[in-house]
Amino acid sequence: MPFAHLPSLSRRAFTLTLAGAGLSVLRAQTSLEHWALMSDTHIPADPANGHRGFSPTENLSKIVPQIVAAAPEAAIICGDAARLDGQPGDYAVLKKLLSPLMQKTPVAIALGNHDHRKNFLDAFGPSPAGAQSVQNKHVVVLEGKAVRVIVLDSLITPNFTPGLLGRTQREWLARFLASSDDRPTLLFVHHTLDDTDGALLDSPRLLDVLRPHRKVKAIFYGHSHTYRYDMWEHVHLVNLPAIGYNFRDTEPVGWIDARLTPQGGRLTLRALAGNRENDGKTVELNWRP
Ligand SMILES: [Zn+2]
């Protein structure tokens, strides 16, 4: 379940409602313009379990207070929340590490190839409202006044690298986009959209679904542990940096402090480790008309 903290939601004047096929929709009373964007936290049950000299546990322990201090209105983890295959102990530690943030703001978590859907839902949900994912997928919609965020589920099976949305989720997305209003819409999905064997295998079909909808302004993903900006048909593609560890020394480890408005986004890198040369640098995105 996406939001493990309804008391904080009501304090912040959010309401969790249900729409359609068990989809959980968070409707914000505020503009929802200030977001913390994270990806690939890779939290293990054992804090000593790291990779390439990085400690995911230590990294997230340092980042959560930074985000709490920044006081965003919502936060997202773009998949690979757990270390390798989504053990219950991984999510127990993740929940504990995130709790100072979850007490203040909703945190939507996408599932990646190193997650386990059932173990994740056992740890973080189900919500009091009984919200469930779209037919065995964990899909979240956050409706802000400035933008709409759709968090998709590309997990096939734990610790199997490629991703797939699948036909049911794609058809749901097509219906949702056709029936929702024209506010700028941003997608979050764990897997990259390239044509490698470890990427989102149905990305061409996803793009076919998105093509008629000009309200789709950007797609965010993680997976590659690379911080990078690209474009597809005037839609911004943002590869979020990893929090757990990088794969190359040239990449930062950290999170993105984002201001999202109906016109565009201002994305500032908060680099904690790895390559920190772009720490504090802001990238301005203009949404296509
Ligand atoms: Zn990862």
Side-chain angles (χ1 to χ4, degrees), residues 40 42 80 225:
D40 296 87
H42 287 285
D80 280 6
H225 296 212

Side-chain angles (χ1 to χ4, degrees), residues 40 42 80 114 190 223 225 245 247:
D40 296 87
H42 287 285
D80 280 6
H114 290 297
H190 175 70
H223 194 49
H225 296 212
Y245 48 87
F247 290 139

Side-chain angles (χ1 to χ4, degrees), residues 122-134:
D122 285 348
F124 284 86
S127 78
Q132 292 177 25
S133 48
V134 172

